[in-house]
Amino acid sequence: MPYVTSVERLGYTRGHSEGREEGRRTEAESLVRKLLQRRLGVLPGQIDARVGALSLERMEALGEALLDFTSVDDLDAWLRQH
């Protein structure tokens, strides 16, 4: 069994945690994009890019807020506020 230093262990733990976080964000983005497309249709490129740049926390908040959207203007207003 190879010797693992505390620095290597810390790096592994940090990398594992960051990987999990990125996976959660990717899944949230995929779901939110599907829901937005179903609710509002194809999004304009600039708005789509702004959605893609959201953090996990904001993406989850958008997932809840989009239930009240009736148009792309509602999404645009939400993005400007957040």
Side-chain angles (χ1 to χ4, degrees):
M1 175 175 269
Y3 177 75
V4 178
T5 67
S6 59
V7 172
E8 289 172 324
R9 193 174 310 119
L10 177 63
Y12 173 79
T13 301
R14 185 176 293 152
H16 186 71
S17 177
E18 289 173 3
R20 251 193 340 248
E21 183 77 12
E22 182 58 28
R24 286 183 58 217
R25 196 207 155 284
T26 300
E27 289 299 317
E29 180 180 353
S30 177
L31 178 59
V32 166
R33 284 180 183 278
K34 287 177 186 175
L35 293 172
L36 284 170
Q37 184 172 3
R38 182 160 184 178
R39 186 132 187 112
L40 306 175
V42 177
L43 299 177
Q46 187 178 34
I47 290 178
D48 187 58
R50 288 167 52 201
V51 168
L54 294 173
S55 68
L56 173 60
E57 181 180 284
R58 294 283 187 226
M59 194 69 70
E60 289 174 341
L62 176 56
E64 291 180 35
L66 70 81
L67 297 172
D68 298 325
F69 297 169
T70 57
S71 71
V72 174
D73 292 336
D74 294 332
L75 171 59
D76 188 38
W78 188 92
L79 290 168
R80 277 188 264 113
Q81 291 177 340
H82 300 88

